[in-house]
Amino acid sequence: MSKVKSYAALSEKTPLEPYNIIRRECNSEDVLIKIEYCGVCHSDIHMARNEWHNTSIFPMVPGHEIIGVVESIGNSVSKFKIGDSVGVGVYVDSCGKCDNCNDSMDHYCEKGVVLTYNSYEYGTTTITYGGYSKKIVVKESYVIGIPKGMIKEKAAPLLCAGITTYSPLRYLNVGQGHKVGVTGFGGLGHMGVKFASSMGAEVTIFSTSESKKQDAINMGAHNFVNVNDKEQLIKAQNSCHYILDTVSANRDMAQVFSLLKTDGRIMTVGLPMEPHAISSFSLIDKRKGIIGSSIGSIVETQEMINYCNENNIYPEVEMIPISKINEAFERIINKDIRFRFVIDMSSL
Ligand SMILES: [Zn+2]
Ligand SMILES: [Zn+2]
């Protein structure tokens, strides 16, 4: 057991503050990681403020976009050695026995994964603590290798925002000849644009932020539709094979379905607070559908990291010291962020 410096929310009403946590010593399968960078995900805010159906556990150390370096290893670890660059994403354990775990879909473990933070380790009352912290201990099979030469501070958000958008695009075999719409142009949406265009699709961004139009084009989008402009929306009807829906707000879904071609699919990765109202009329007309997707498996996350390395794909990030984390939360809520914050953990 060792004491580790971190930043924690002690309750849903209090800002994050310096806090010491206890991490376990390395068991035989564990890797001890010195954390260098941690991305700030919008779910960190929802969790720290207990906004998701009262599921928050306090004290809470958020952070599930972790990049660091291996500092020590348990005696049966074979995937990593001391000094390797590594990453940790949204979960740190799964049952390893269910159909999904056996089918390389451990992120959909039937028992439920152990989340990187705000979870209990299986069969214990030990709370998991995330990456707003100096060090973390994780079983090697849930650790992602970061190839030499990757820009580590920019790679952090790939572990959640990256895999969340990569996985559904791969699931639908998005590629040349496909027209893909991306709704929302924030942390998730901008990664969706980069991935879909790199896979060969023609990408249209649907956004309320006209000021980000040039950014969208620079990132590989072919078209930009301002969703506040009715005329542009009508023109865009029946134009997409797939829509990657990253918006976490309730809105008129009939309008989103109207953008799809026959047999089109909405791939939803956003998490609005209230259930969507979806009319059957939107579905039966032109045989349309909607599919949900949550992060990706460990195998797929490694594949995504390697893909980003080979294709030079990174999120747009703004680095902050940990002392600015509460300000960063407010700026995310106010949409005053060009895509993703990453905390330089050497500031802690
Ligand atoms: Zn996340
Ligand atoms: Zn399982």
Side-chain angles (χ1 to χ4, degrees):
M1 309 276 258
S2 62
K3 203 155 79 167
V4 174
K5 274 191 196 171
S6 68
Y7 252 61
L10 301 184
S11 81
E12 64 193 64
K13 297 265 182 266
T14 50
L16 270 62
E17 59 186 278
Y19 183 75
N20 286 323
I21 54 168
I22 301 294
R23 298 280 193 197
R24 66 173 184 266
E25 296 298 323
C26 267
N27 293 322
S28 62
E29 300 174 341
D30 284 338
V31 174
L32 170 66
I33 301 162
K34 182 183 151 214
I35 300 174
E36 296 173 306
Y37 304 103
C38 187
V40 181
C41 179
H42 205 143
S43 38
D44 296 347
I45 303 172
H46 289 300
M47 295 289 218
R49 299 187 176 178
N50 198 13
E51 290 169 346
W52 277 342
H53 311 292
N54 215 20
T55 51
S56 296
I57 309 165
F58 297 99
M60 181 190 301
V61 177
H64 59 204
E65 295 181 338
I66 299 168
I67 294 280
V69 61
V70 174
E71 200 169 79
S72 71
I73 54 174
N75 47 34
S76 66
V77 168
S78 60
K79 248 172 91 179
F80 302 104
K81 56 184 193 311
I82 292 169
D84 282 353
S85 292
V86 292
V88 178
V90 174
Y91 63 106
V92 290
D93 208 357
S94 63
C95 84
K97 296 178 187 128
C98 70
D99 287 351
N100 285 344
C101 281
N102 284 328
D103 206 11
S104 286
M105 291 197 291
D106 38 354
H107 58 312
Y108 294 138
C109 174
E110 290 167 18
K111 190 175 171 180
V113 296
V114 175
L115 297 170
T116 302
Y117 70 91
N118 198 53
S119 234
Y120 293 103
E121 289 177 17
Y122 286 140
T124 73
T125 53
T126 306
I127 303 171
T128 56
Y129 295 121
Y132 297 5
S133 167
K134 284 300 239 190
K135 293 179 187 192
I136 190 167
V137 179
V138 181
K139 273 192 202 170
E140 69 165 329
S141 37
Y142 297 88
V143 175
I144 307 296
I146 302 298
K148 274 202 177 69
M150 265 194 115
I151 308 170
K152 290 164 82 175
E153 60 268 41
K154 291 180 107 184
L158 296 174
L159 277 316
C160 176
I163 188 62
T164 296
T165 47
Y166 178 88
S167 182
L169 295 169
R170 276 288 185 237
Y171 175 74
L172 290 169
N173 284 317
V174 162
Q176 233 153 40
H178 285 142
K179 295 186 176 184
V180 174
V182 177
T183 63
F185 193 45
L188 293 175
H190 91 292
M191 288 310 301
V193 170
K194 291 187 182 205
F195 282 133
S197 66
S198 75
M199 291 166 187
E202 182 183 323
V203 180
T204 301
I205 187 87
F206 294 89
S207 169
T208 53
S209 315
E210 186 81 38
S211 63
K212 288 182 174 175
K213 183 172 175 175
Q214 195 53 46
D215 285 333
I217 304 297
N218 294 346
M219 287 178 204
H222 303 84
N223 315 295
F224 183 97
V225 172
N226 183 337
V227 295
N228 291 329
D229 184 332
K230 281 232 163 71
E231 233 169 81
Q232 288 188 34
L233 269 182
I234 289 169
K235 253 192 176 164
Q237 284 177 353
N238 302 301
S239 68
C240 298
H241 295 98
Y242 302 123
I243 290 172
L244 180 66
D245 185 18
T246 75
V247 174
S248 286
N250 295 101
R251 63 211 195 283
D252 178 9
M253 291 305 287
Q255 197 175 70
V256 185
F257 276 102
S258 76
L259 304 170
L260 287 175
K261 289 175 175 292
T262 303
D263 285 324
R265 293 286 179 272
I266 294 174
M267 305 171 276
T268 186
V269 296
L271 287 170
M273 292 299 286
E274 301 300 324
H276 273 314
I278 294 175
S279 162
S280 296
F281 288 95
S282 291
L283 299 171
I284 65 167
D285 179 33
K286 305 189 185 70
R287 207 162 45 203
K288 293 171 184 173
I290 181 165
I291 306 167
S293 180
S294 175
I295 51 170
S297 69
I298 294 294
V299 168
E300 195 176 35
T301 303
Q302 186 68 64
E303 174 195 308
M304 179 272 311
I305 286 283
N306 298 346
Y307 179 86
C308 290
N309 185 41
E310 283 153 22
N311 294 284
N312 199 30
I313 294 173
Y314 291 101
E316 304 299 312
V317 307
E318 178 179 339
M319 300 296 296
I320 54 163
I322 187 80
S323 57
K324 290 261 198 279
I325 187 63
N326 292 304
E327 207 177 293
F329 275 16
E330 291 310 316
R331 283 184 54 196
I332 291 171
I333 290 165
N334 296 325
K335 296 197 164 75
D336 173 24
I337 162 73
R338 286 194 106 72
F339 306 108
R340 206 69 158 178
F341 285 117
V342 172
I343 310 165
D344 179 352
M345 293 309 304
S346 67
S347 62
L348 175 60

